[in-house]
Amino acid sequence: MTFPARLVGAALVGTLAAGGSAAAAATAATAASAQAEPCVERITVVNNAAFVMSFSVAASNGLETSNTDTYPINQSRTIDLTTTALPVGADVRPVVDAVAGAQGTPSSFVSYCQNGQSATYSVTGTTYNYSVTLIG
């Protein structure tokens, strides 16, 4: 049994033991097995900000890749997750480092799948006041 299946099983047992309905148990099972969308193999970050930056990719379990090289405005870099130690199925997001500035992350995660797809994030703003947004 895989880890997500154990979580779903525990959600079902806990809901039914608490006197919940089968519909509530099904809802709990769906929520427990949900992954972030979209499911991608590569993370691309476009620098549309007023600073030089680099980024890494962090998983929700705390694992993180090494940073890309630094790059200026109007350029992008891509991290191919198949070349990292991150596990397939992990929820991941970029961690942006502004040179001589702050570190920032988007609120949205994507899931890592080996499917050839990419997620693209855009960085806008200035070194201490910027946003990282999933655009596709």
Side-chain angles (χ1 to χ4, degrees):
M1 181 181 292
T2 64
F3 182 71
R6 283 193 296 265
L7 285 176
V8 170
L12 287 172
V13 169
T15 301
L16 293 174
S21 68
T27 301
T30 301
S33 64
Q35 284 185 307
E37 290 291 330
C39 202
V40 300
E41 187 172 306
R42 293 178 298 275
I43 304 285
T44 298
V45 178
V46 180
N47 184 354
N48 292 314
F51 54 83
V52 175
M53 59 166 277
S54 65
F55 79 96
S56 61
V57 175
S60 58
N61 66 6
L63 294 176
E64 191 169 343
T65 68
S66 57
N67 274 26
T68 63
D69 63 320
T70 57
Y71 58 103
I73 190 169
N74 295 329
Q75 290 190 14
S76 66
R77 296 293 186 270
T78 300
I79 294 180
D80 183 343
L81 300 175
T82 63
T83 65
T84 71
L86 299 176
V88 172
D91 287 344
V92 296
R93 65 182 174 181
V95 177
V96 173
D97 286 309
V99 172
Q103 188 177 74
T105 58
S107 58
S108 55
F109 283 88
V110 296
S111 291
Y112 168 27
C113 298
Q114 293 180 334
N115 62 2
Q117 301 296 310
S118 294
T120 302
Y121 289 83
S122 175
V123 179
T124 57
T126 60
T127 54
Y128 288 101
N129 184 22
Y130 64 90
S131 61
V132 183
T133 307
L134 177 62
I135 59 172

